[in-house]
Amino acid sequence: MSHPRHRHLSRRERQIVDILYRLEEASAADVRGAMTDAPSDSAVRALLALLVEKGHVRHRQEGRKYLYAPVVSATKARKSELRHVVETFFAGSAEEAVASLLDQEAARLGDEELDRLARLIEDARKKRRRS
């Protein structure tokens, strides 16, 4: 889930941004608590400061602590990352990407999920006809 600039993050930076997307807003202690194999408190604070400097994360002060949040919304990040995956691995073909996902995940999808996908496809057809 990332803005195109997020593709150039280190593993730890990516981990922190992912945690912030999940928590929406968090202190350095909250971020560190959510990390597996977390570095020191000062290392987490330094990484957060670096992410702020790079423009990936914003912060606000609440009392004596800072709360951090991603600059780009999770929705925009998902769309951007999905667009990148479709362009990179499926030559820009949404149909190929969806076919690949269905091929891999069909056994895990329930009837309700398949019905929702069918409705989404039908809605896409209706929108195309209106254009």
Side-chain angles (χ1 to χ4, degrees):
M1 330 180 225
S2 67
H3 191 273
R5 297 178 303 167
H6 290 185
R7 291 188 197 103
H8 305 291
L9 297 176
S10 72
R11 179 183 66 83
R12 282 291 193 197
E13 291 170 339
R14 172 85 257 155
Q15 184 182 24
I16 289 172
V17 171
D18 288 345
I19 289 167
L20 290 173
Y21 276 122
R22 192 171 63 247
L23 299 177
E24 296 180 9
E25 185 176 66
S27 68
D30 295 333
V31 169
R32 185 172 188 272
M35 294 176 88
T36 54
D37 190 28
S40 68
D41 288 336
S42 61
V44 171
R45 285 192 301 274
L47 285 165
L48 284 163
L50 183 61
L51 287 166
V52 169
E53 185 180 312
K54 288 181 172 182
H56 299 292
V57 170
R58 61 180 162 71
H59 70 282
R60 68 179 179 86
Q61 192 167 358
E62 186 175 277
R64 291 181 44 155
K65 68 180 175 181
Y66 287 97
L67 295 175
Y68 299 87
V71 169
V72 177
S73 74
T75 300
K76 282 185 182 179
R78 269 193 301 272
K79 287 179 181 180
S80 173
E81 200 59 31
L82 184 56
R83 192 174 313 110
H84 173 71
V85 167
V86 170
E87 290 296 325
T88 302
F89 296 103
F90 299 97
S93 172
E95 184 261 336
E96 288 294 325
V98 170
S100 179
L101 277 171
L102 286 173
D103 190 42
Q104 290 179 7
E105 302 296 323
R108 288 194 239 176
L109 294 173
D111 287 340
E112 287 181 21
E113 292 165 312
L114 290 170
D115 289 344
R116 180 171 183 262
L117 290 171
R119 283 192 304 275
L120 289 170
I121 291 168
E122 188 54 38
D123 290 347
R125 280 191 177 119
K126 288 177 185 175
K127 285 179 187 174
R128 190 184 65 206
R129 288 179 196 137
R130 282 187 241 136
S131 313

